[in-house]
């Protein structure tokens, strides 16, 4: 299937590892020009090296997106380099375990800045260019917004906010023909997840407990499966899809996990 992505400029935040890296690679495979945005210069350079044969025009932008002015700088650099923006994938963030019981209000606010506020900032500064291109936005969420997790109030609130913003922006931007959707993972096997599970007491038992709760196939979702959905929904092949929360999780969120 031709996704009609050749030459499309796609900004992916948090693209130096895990899901973000997978999304960048898949865009490159489909002929788009992924713009890799992240804090880790070493990893950003490595990702750029991985995709250079597929997308020699791609660039890496080192950025700490907690600062709205840095978000503006990222957008300005992309526009100055390529002249347009077609797709924005908001992905950067991390589960920081800022809890109600142990965290402070200041830590909660910092968590929202790290996981939610830059979604707004990036969309705000990219919007004039997305209007020109009739582009679209894909937000990456988390099942934590729907199911809770315990001990992670900041992250849960941020991901709940992302769900709300997805519907709000989809409605708000109808007049401009801009689509906005959210892709929601649950248990995805990444290098960071592997490191986390290996640090857990009784790692093998913990891993089995997680896998046993994934209804479809009793296996983790792959990075490629998340990336394929993101790239499809961002493509013109999905041109009449907007305001949707797409759960790519093997039924984890909506099916009986005890089945």
């Amino acid at each position: 299937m031709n996704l009609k992505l050749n030459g499309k400029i796609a900004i992916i935040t948090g693209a130096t590892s895990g899901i973000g890296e997978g999304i960048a690679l898949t865009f490159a495979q489909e002929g788009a020009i992924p713009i890799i945005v992240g804090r880790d210069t070493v990893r950003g350079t490595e990702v750029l090296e991985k995709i250079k044969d597929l997308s020699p025009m791609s660039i890496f932008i080192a950025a700490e997106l907690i600062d709205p002015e840095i978000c503006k700088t990222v957008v300005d650099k992309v526009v100055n380099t390529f002249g347009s923006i077609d797709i924005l994938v908001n992905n950067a963030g991390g589960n920081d375990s800022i809890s109600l019981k142990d965290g402070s209000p200041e830590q909660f606010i910092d968590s929202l800045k790290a996981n939610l506020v830059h979604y707004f900032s990036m969309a705000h500064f990219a919007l004039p260019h997305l209007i020109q291109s009739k582009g679209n936005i894909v937000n990456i969420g988390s099942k934590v917004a729907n199911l809770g997790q315990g001990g992670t109030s900041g992250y849960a609130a941020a991901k709940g906010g992302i769900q709300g913003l997805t519907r709000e922006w989809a409605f708000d931007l109808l007049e401009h023909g801009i689509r906005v959707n959210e892709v929601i993972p649950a248990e995805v096997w990444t290098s960071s997840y592997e490191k986390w599970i290996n640090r857990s007491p009784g790692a093998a038992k913990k891993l089995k407990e997680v896998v046993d709760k994934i209804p479809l196939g009793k296996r983790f979702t792959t990075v490629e499966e998340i990336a394929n959905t993101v790239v499809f929904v961002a493509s013109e092949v999905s041109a009449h899809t907007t305001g949707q929360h797409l759960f790519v999780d093997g039924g984890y969120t909506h099916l009986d996990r005890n089945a």
Side-chain angles (χ1 to χ4, degrees), residues 42-151:
V42 173
R43 286 293 298 130
T45 304
E46 290 173 354
V47 174
L48 200 61
E49 181 69 19
K50 284 183 182 180
I51 67 173
K52 70 176 183 179
D53 291 338
L54 293 167
S55 182
M57 293 179 66
S58 289
I59 61 172
F60 165 64
I61 302 175
E64 175 48 82
L65 299 177
I66 291 175
D67 183 348
E69 284 303 311
I70 299 298
C71 294
K72 182 179 186 301
T73 298
V74 169
V75 169
D76 288 347
K77 182 169 184 177
V78 174
V79 173
N80 290 339
T81 304
F82 298 99
S84 65
I85 298 170
D86 299 293
I87 298 160
L88 170 63
V89 179
N90 280 317
N91 167 71
N95 195 333
D96 49 19
S97 300
I98 304 303
S99 75
L100 177 62
K101 292 183 284 188
D102 300 319
S104 67
E106 292 76 18
Q107 288 175 313
F108 179 78
I109 291 168
D110 287 343
S111 183
L112 295 182
K113 289 179 180 178
N115 290 295
L116 175 63
V117 175
H118 60 79
Y119 276 50
F120 180 92
S121 298
M122 288 298 298
H124 172 77
F125 293 117
L127 183 58
H129 312 288
L130 292 170
I131 290 173
Q132 287 185 351
S133 66
K134 290 194 181 299
N136 71 93
I137 299 169
V138 182
N139 294 322
I140 306 302
S142 169
K143 52 87 175 174
V144 174
N146 303 87
L147 300 175
Q149 177 179 297

Side-chain angles (χ1 to χ4, degrees), residues 242-256:
T242 194
Q244 299 304 303
H245 305 306
L246 304 168
F247 291 82
V248 184
D249 65 357
Y252 189 98
T253 303
H254 292 103
L255 300 182
D256 184 356

